[in-house]
Amino acid sequence: MNNHTAPSLASIRQRAYLLWQQRGCPNGVAESNWAEAQRLLAAELTTPANDTAPKARSAKAVVEAKSDRPAPASAAVSSKKRARN
């Protein structure tokens, strides 16, 4: 297990902000985002280090991963056909 017993204020703040962004930046949800961030981080800290369950990725990480993928082969073929015409 991790040696930490509670998440830091900075990590809670960062996670709460991420939750707020993922939910579309609504007004009036700061307290619930903070509480959920605290709960999620505390759960992560109590998870054994050898846990093999996949970690949740942030929305930003998912978008970045998708942008790193090469274009589908069909898109390349279509652009070659247009260039010949």
Side-chain angles (χ1 to χ4, degrees):
M1 281 198 191
N2 199 326
N3 293 334
H4 301 289
T5 57
S8 70
L9 290 177
S11 62
I12 297 169
R13 184 180 306 115
Q14 183 177 15
R15 181 66 62 92
Y17 182 71
L18 179 63
L19 291 170
W20 177 71
Q21 286 183 316
Q22 289 173 338
R23 294 175 176 152
C25 307
N27 290 325
V29 295
E31 290 177 5
S32 62
N33 286 342
W34 187 273
E36 185 173 356
Q38 255 181 324
R39 182 185 58 77
L40 291 170
L41 290 167
E44 289 174 12
L45 290 175
T46 58
T47 303
N50 63 353
D51 186 7
T52 58
K55 300 287 183 203
R57 296 191 307 171
S58 69
K60 182 178 178 183
V62 171
V63 170
E64 288 173 351
K66 286 183 180 179
S67 66
D68 291 342
R69 293 182 187 162
S74 60
V77 171
S78 297
S79 62
K80 287 179 183 177
K81 285 182 182 177
R82 280 182 272 174
R84 282 190 257 166
N85 293 335

